[in-house]
Amino acid sequence: MSDSTMIIDETNRKNLIFLILQFLHEEGYLKSLHLLEQDSGVFFDYSYFSCFITNGNWRDAEDYLSAFTSPDANTFSRKMFVDLYKWKFSEAAHSGGSESVNTFSKDLRRIPVFKDDGFEDLVNVIAVEDIRIPEKTGSVDKALVRASLCVELRKLAERNPSLCGKLVFPNLNKSALLSLISLICPNSSGRMGGSKEDLIILILQFLHEAKYKNTLHRLEQESEVFFNINYLAEVMKLGEMGKAEEYLAAFTDKHANKYSKAMFLELQKLSTSWEATTTSGSLDNTSQKTKLQASVAMLAKKNPALKDKLSFPEMKKSRLLKLMKQTMDWWRPHSCNNSQSLEHIPVVQYLCGEPSSSLKNKFNRTGPRTKVGNCKLNEINHPSECSTLVLPDYWSDIRIACLTYSPSGDYILALADDATHKLWTWSIGQNDFCKEDVFPKPRLHQPMSGETMKNEIAASVEDSTSCFAIKGSYLFSTSGAKIAVFDLKSFERVAAFGSPSKPTATHFIFIPGDLLAVGLDDGSILIHCLSSRKIKEKLDGHDQRITCLAFSRCFNVLVSSGADGKLCVWSSKSWVKLTSIDSIQNFCTRLNNKSSLVTQIQFDPYQVELLVVQDKWISRHAAPTLDCLSGFLMNLKPQ
C-alpha cells in the first residue's frame, strides 16, 4: 500500500469517527459519545471537560484529560494536571483534613519535574508532610474559582501539542452520516426495519474492529439494537456482576416477563457465589458458577424481549469504512473543489426510499458518462390515462398563475392572476390517501375569520409575475408588487417586504440557514436573511429576469435559470458563481438553434441531478457541474 493511500485511508477513518460522534450526539447516546471521544482521541470536548470542573468532579476531569495526554507528555500537560491536583487538594483539605494531604502527595509524585518548566519552584514551596491551607481558602467562592480555572485550562489546552487540532469539531450538516449511507445503501425493510438501526449495526461492527470496547458495549446498551451474549458471559466469568446486571437492565427489567425475572435471579445467585469464593478463597463452587452462567445464556435465547437482538448480521469486513470511502471517492470528482473536507460532504434531504437507478450507476460506473440522446419514456396521449381530481369552487374565468401541493402533501394552494389565493384540504385520513383507487375529496378551506389571502397587484399588470413559497405554516407570495407574508392557519397578512416598483420578484425559494433567495426581473438574485431582515448577498449573473431557482442540500448550491437562456450555479458557502451555461438545448445537442426560455428547474429527491424544462425540450444535468446526462424533444400534438 502506498503512503498516499495510507494517508487517505487514515483520513477516511478519522472523518468516519467524526461522523459517528455527530450521529451519537443527535441520537442522544451521550455516554457512548464521550467514551468514543476518549477511545479514539480525535476530539477533546472542552465544554464537557469544563462541566466536570465547575461541578467539582475532579476525578472525572482527570480521567477525561488522561485519555488524550499524560503529565509527562509536555509542559502544558504537566501544568494542566498540576492545576487539577492543586484545586482538588485545596477543596478537599478544607473539608477532609489529613487524607487530602495523602491524596495530593500521591498525585504530585506522578508529575515529572524539570528545571526548565518552572515546576521546581512548586515542589520546593510545598512540604507534603507539613502543608498549611491558607485561612482564606474557606471563604473563596468555589464557583468563581472553578470558572477561573476553566479559563486558564482552556488557554493551556489551546497551546498544548497533545490537543492540537482536537478542540474544534468539524462543521457538519445535520444527519451527515445517515445521509452519506443513504446515498448508496437502499433503505429497505431490514431486519430492524429502519435505516438508523441498520446504521447502528454498521457502527457496532466498526467499533468492534477498531477495538473500542468501552464505546462498543456502551452503545449496545444505549441503542438496544444488539444484545451481546458473549460480552455478558465474559463479565460473568470475570465476576463483574455489577456490569452484568447493568448490561441486562439496559434491555429489559425483571418485571418484563418470566424469563427476564429468572435471568436477574440467576445473576443474583451468581453474585452470591462469587462473594462466597472471595470470602473463603475456595474454588469448590466453580461448577455452580458455570451452571448459572449457562442458565443465563439459555434464558436469554428464550426471552421474547431479547430474541430479535441476539444475532448480529453477517457483513464483509470494515463495511462502514468501505461505504464511506466509496461515497467520498464518488463525491470528490463531483465536488466543485475536489475536497476531502467533511464540511462539504453531500447531504440527502429525503432519507426514505431507494436511490434512483441513475445514482446507483454513478457509483458503479467505470466508463464514460451517459450519452446524450432521446429518452424512451411512456407518453400519455389521452386524458383517460390520468386520474382527475376536481377542486371545488375553482376559478372559471381567471387564469391560475401558480399551483402547488404543500411540502407534506396535505393541501393544495393556488394563486390566480387577480392576486387571490385559495387553499384546498382533504376530508379523508392520510392512510386512505395512499390506498389504491381511493381518491381524496378536496374541500375549499376558509377560516372562521373570513379572511382572504390577497396580494398587492403590480401597477403594470402586463409586466408582473406571480410566485409564492411555503415555509412551515407561513406563505410568502407576490403578484408583482411587495412580497406578502400570510399565516396559513388564519389567512391573516402578518408582514410585507420588498419594493412595489422595479425591480420586482419573479421567483423565490427558501434555503438552509434561514435564508430566502429572491430572483428579480432585472436578472439579479437577492439573498435575504429572515432573522436579521437584511440582504446578505446580491448575485449578478443573468441579463434578463430570473425564471426559476432550485437548491441542492447535497451540494450546497443554488441554481438559477433566466429568460436569457442561462443556467448559473452558486455556492451557498461563499456565494460565488461556480459555473454557468448559456443555452441548455444547444449545450446538450451541440446544435446552433436559438435558445428557448427555461420555464422550470428542479432537483431529484436525492438532489444530485437537475431536471430542466424548456419550451419543447427536457434535459437532465449532473450537479454541480451541469454536465448534460440526457435530453429529448417533446413532440406536442395539436388537439
Side-chain angles (χ1 to χ4, degrees):
M1 181 182 292
S2 66
D3 291 342
S4 60
T5 303
M6 292 179 65
I7 292 173
I8 292 176
D9 288 344
E10 176 60 23
T11 300
N12 283 332
R13 188 195 71 84
K14 185 176 179 181
N15 286 347
L16 177 56
I17 293 174
F18 278 121
L19 293 170
I20 293 174
L21 289 173
Q22 183 206 34
F23 175 79
L24 296 176
H25 174 74
E26 290 180 342
E27 295 302 311
Y29 302 144
L30 299 184
K31 291 183 179 180
S32 301
L33 167 70
H34 297 303
L35 280 174
L36 182 55
E37 290 168 355
Q38 298 171 73
D39 283 347
S40 65
V42 302
F43 175 62
F44 186 91
D45 188 343
Y46 193 83
S47 177
Y48 176 68
F49 173 69
S50 64
C51 284
F52 289 140
I53 297 173
T54 54
N55 293 324
N57 298 329
W58 304 106
R59 182 56 185 270
D60 291 333
E62 180 187 346
D63 289 344
Y64 189 79
L65 180 61
S66 298
F68 296 85
T69 187
S70 61
D72 60 350
N74 56 66
T75 299
F76 300 102
S77 291
R78 288 194 288 277
K79 289 183 178 179
M80 291 181 76
F81 278 101
V82 165
D83 281 348
L84 285 178
Y85 298 155
K86 181 173 65 176
W87 287 106
K88 179 173 71 171
F89 165 71
S90 178
E91 292 189 6
H94 179 64
S95 57
S98 61
E99 182 62 30
S100 65
V101 174
N102 295 330
T103 300
F104 185 61
S105 175
K106 294 177 182 178
D107 289 339
L108 194 62
R109 288 192 182 102
R110 296 170 54 192
I111 305 293
V113 179
F114 299 95
K115 292 184 179 181
D116 62 348
D117 64 12
F119 277 80
E120 187 178 22
D121 295 336
L122 174 65
V123 178
N124 289 336
V125 168
I126 300 176
V128 174
E129 293 79 7
D130 189 25
I131 292 182
R132 297 287 184 266
I133 304 301
E135 294 181 2
K136 65 178 182 178
T137 302
S139 62
V140 173
D141 186 343
K142 286 184 179 180
L144 182 60
V145 170
R146 292 171 181 176
S148 300
L149 179 59
C150 287
V151 174
E152 293 304 316
L153 289 176
R154 176 76 193 198
K155 294 177 181 177
L156 290 171
E158 290 173 347
R159 299 171 62 190
N160 195 327
S162 297
L163 302 179
C164 180
K166 299 180 180 181
L167 293 172
V168 179
F169 199 85
N171 182 22
L172 299 176
N173 288 307
K174 186 178 180 181
S175 305
L177 180 57
L178 194 58
S179 296
L180 272 175
I181 300 306
S182 298
L183 276 171
I184 52 177
C185 293
N187 182 17
S188 58
S189 55
R191 75 183 192 100
M192 290 155 292
S195 56
K196 286 186 179 179
E197 289 81 0
D198 295 334
L199 177 54
I200 290 171
I201 288 293
L202 290 171
I203 293 174
L204 290 175
Q205 184 204 38
F206 172 78
L207 296 174
H208 172 73
E209 293 177 347
K211 296 181 172 56
Y212 297 146
K213 291 185 65 175
N214 292 333
T215 310
L216 170 68
H217 301 309
R218 177 55 61 183
L219 182 57
E220 288 169 351
Q221 296 172 67
E222 287 191 301
S223 63
E224 300 180 16
V225 301
F226 173 62
F227 186 86
N228 192 334
I229 191 68
N230 292 330
Y231 172 71
L232 183 63
E234 178 185 338
V235 293
M236 287 192 297
K237 188 175 181 178
L238 295 173
E240 298 176 341
M241 303 313 301
K243 285 187 178 180
E245 290 193 26
E246 179 189 20
Y247 190 82
L248 178 60
F251 294 85
T252 185
D253 63 77
K254 62 182 180 181
H255 303 295
N257 55 64
K258 63 179 182 180
Y259 298 101
S260 294
K261 183 177 181 180
M263 289 180 73
F264 279 101
L265 182 60
E266 296 292 75
L267 288 180
Q268 292 175 7
K269 292 180 182 177
L270 191 55
S271 179
T272 303
S273 180
W274 272 102
E275 290 174 2
T277 301
T278 304
T279 303
S280 64
S282 171
L283 299 179
D284 294 340
N285 61 355
T286 301
S287 175
Q288 180 187 9
K289 287 189 289 187
T290 303
K291 289 180 180 179
L292 288 172
Q293 292 167 12
S295 175
V296 171
M298 179 190 67
L299 289 168
K301 295 176 182 179
K302 293 182 178 181
N303 195 328
L306 304 175
K307 67 176 183 178
D308 295 329
K309 302 174 182 179
L310 292 173
S311 62
F312 198 88
E314 294 184 5
M315 292 183 289
K316 293 182 179 179
K317 187 178 179 180
S318 305
R319 180 64 175 149
L320 185 56
L321 191 59
K322 289 176 181 176
L323 286 174
M324 179 178 172
K325 183 178 183 301
Q326 185 181 8
T327 310
M328 297 304 289
D329 286 347
W330 166 81
W331 162 248
R332 278 191 291 272
H334 287 75
S335 66
C336 300
N337 55 2
N338 201 25
S339 174
Q340 283 187 223
S341 170
L342 283 178
E343 190 172 348
H344 302 291
I345 60 172
V347 170
V348 183
Q349 183 178 15
Y350 304 101
L351 300 179
C352 299
E354 293 200 13
S356 63
S357 58
S358 61
L359 181 60
K360 292 179 182 177
N361 291 338
K362 279 186 174 67
F363 291 104
N364 298 324
R365 189 181 299 136
T366 56
R369 287 192 174 276
T370 307
K371 294 181 179 179
V372 176
N374 291 344
C375 297
K376 293 182 179 179
L377 300 178
N378 295 326
E379 292 188 11
I380 298 176
N381 298 311
H382 196 273
S384 63
E385 298 179 60
C386 303
S387 299
T388 303
L389 180 67
V390 178
L391 300 176
D393 196 33
Y394 57 92
W395 294 276
S396 57
D397 299 326
I398 304 175
R399 189 182 74 90
I400 300 298
C402 306
L403 184 72
T404 187
Y405 280 100
S406 70
S408 57
D410 56 349
Y411 62 83
I412 290 177
L413 183 68
L415 172 60
D417 276 349
D418 67 351
T420 303
H421 302 83
K422 292 206 173 182
L423 186 149
W424 292 266
T425 59
W426 316 121
S427 59
I428 64 171
Q430 182 179 0
N431 293 332
D432 293 333
F433 188 87
C434 300
K435 294 179 181 178
E436 188 176 358
D437 297 329
V438 174
F439 297 95
K441 296 178 180 178
R443 60 181 180 83
L444 185 65
H445 176 70
Q446 185 67 42
M448 295 295 292
S449 62
E451 291 275 357
T452 300
M453 294 185 291
K454 188 166 185 177
N455 292 331
E456 295 180 9
I457 301 179
S460 176
V461 180
E462 293 78 12
D463 298 332
S464 67
T465 301
S466 299
C467 56
F468 59 60
I470 300 170
K471 182 177 177 63
S473 61
Y474 290 94
L475 169 68
F476 288 61
S477 180
T478 183
S479 295
K482 287 187 175 182
I483 298 177
V485 184
F486 296 96
D487 186 334
L488 287 170
K489 296 179 181 178
S490 63
F491 284 14
E492 179 186 0
R493 176 172 164 167
V494 295
F497 61 95
S499 172
S501 57
K502 295 283 187 177
T504 58
T506 56
H507 193 90
F508 47 82
I509 61 170
F510 295 101
I511 56 180
D514 201 28
L515 302 177
L516 178 70
V518 180
L520 303 176
D521 59 6
D522 65 356
S524 62
I525 302 169
L526 300 180
I527 306 299
H528 286 265
C529 180
L530 297 177
S531 57
S532 66
R533 299 187 179 184
K534 294 181 179 179
I535 296 177
K536 185 175 182 179
E537 295 287 343
K538 181 181 179 182
L539 312 180
D540 293 309
H542 293 274
D543 301 324
Q544 299 179 38
R545 68 181 176 89
I546 302 298
T547 59
C548 198
L549 298 170
F551 186 81
S552 169
R553 291 176 180 265
C554 176
F555 296 102
N556 288 315
V557 294
L558 174 70
V559 181
S560 58
S561 63
D564 53 4
K566 289 182 182 179
L567 272 188
C568 296
V569 180
W570 312 86
S571 167
S572 65
K573 300 290 185 181
S574 59
W575 295 115
V576 298
K577 184 167 66 174
L578 302 176
T579 188
S580 66
I581 52 179
D582 290 334
S583 175
I584 308 303
Q585 184 173 340
N586 298 349
F587 180 78
C588 285
T589 61
R590 303 295 187 260
L591 299 177
N592 292 323
N593 297 337
K594 182 179 179 181
S595 62
S596 57
L597 178 69
V598 176
T599 57
Q600 182 71 26
I601 56 176
Q602 181 178 338
F603 278 100
D604 72 312
Y606 295 92
Q607 302 200 337
V608 295
E609 290 183 2
L610 184 72
L611 180 71
V612 178
V613 181
Q614 292 176 269
D615 293 342
K616 295 182 179 180
W617 179 261
I618 295 179
S619 55
R620 291 169 47 243
H621 298 259
T625 59
L626 295 184
D627 292 340
C628 187
L629 302 177
S630 64
F632 61 94
L633 287 168
M634 294 181 290
N635 297 318
L636 301 178
K637 301 177 182 179
Q639 298 294 324

